Amino acid sequence: MRTYAKPIAAVTGSLVLAAGLTACGGSSEASDEKIVTVYSADGLKGEAGDGWYDKVFADFEKKTGIKVKYVEGGSGEMVQRALREKSNTQADVIVTLPPFIQQAGSKDLLQKYTPQGADQVGGGDKAGDGSWTSVVNNYFGFIHNKKELPAAPKSWEELLDAKFKNKLQYSTPGVAGDGTAVLIKAMHDFGGQEPAMEYLKKLQANNVGPSSSTSKLAPKVDKGELLVANGDVQMNFAQSKSMPNLGIWFPAKGDGKPTTFALPYAAGLVNKAPHTENGKKLLDFMLSEEAQREVSAIGGGFPARKDVKATDANAIELAKLLEGVEVFEPDWADIDKNLKTYVDAWKSATGS
């Protein structure tokens, strides 16, 4: 185990929600279109059109003439949508959190492509076979309402207190990336699947219920409808600029150290994408030094590239958030292989 703050990356953008995407997978006509379709986990799109995606996609369109069509949802939801469309592929690029990017790879949803600049991305933040690369590094975390709950809880155990009844919510494991992260962290902190499920069974007494989207929880915390919810550092830090009551924290087991783990936004080129070349250009652009330099200042996150050192005010504040927090490394291969087992155990334990 080690304690450090490694880079993370950016937040979101003013994108066009594509309601009906009609491009035919792999057609020569589609390949000539000046569009690229992105399926992405929520969290990188700015609430007011002021996020990293907004800036990067606008700059990309200005530079290339290629318009970005954007579809957003939970990490698992985006992978499942791409799977349903395998016979008529709609997406060109998919951006999702672990373990869902690994799931996309194992289900043959991704084609190998190494974007320019990927050599500057750490080995653990990209696939060994070149099927995906992190574009935004990130960390799992929790949020609390600083007005109603000025001091953040220190431990998992504190969340069992009756004052959190119907004032606590976390997104659904197996559907949302950050919800799945709740399972991963609990199994790490409590020392395995069984004790983690015993705890989450107890916690269910206070839990409001399922949520397919983690980003929808932050406004509830900011308004005081919830005291505590799960999230991730990048998304919640960005949201806190317009939601002043949000505070980020990391639960510990008992009186131990608070822990977290890297939860990067990882991007891959979709297999049989209708606009493959446009997808490659967008991946190159997202990893360009120009785009990566804007990650913390605009998006409130850490760059994915090791050679891009952020020194702006946001970067300094983010580094402070992670001081004293132990960062562990999940066994993503095990999680990819056994995710259904873990989610089924959670459903059984919580009656979800």
Side-chain angles (χ1 to χ4, degrees), residues 134-161:
S134 296
V135 292
V136 172
N137 285 331
N138 195 13
Y139 294 90
F140 177 61
F142 277 71
I143 48 176
H144 69 107
N145 181 294
K146 294 192 293 186
K147 185 178 178 182
E148 303 293 332
L149 190 68
K154 294 185 184 303
S155 69
W156 287 102
E157 289 81 359
E158 285 184 54
L159 298 180
L160 300 176
D161 191 284

Side-chain angles (χ1 to χ4, degrees), residues 288-304:
S288 67
E289 287 188 51
E290 174 189 351
Q292 290 287 306
R293 277 195 299 267
E294 296 172 330
V295 160
S296 54
I298 293 177
F302 301 102

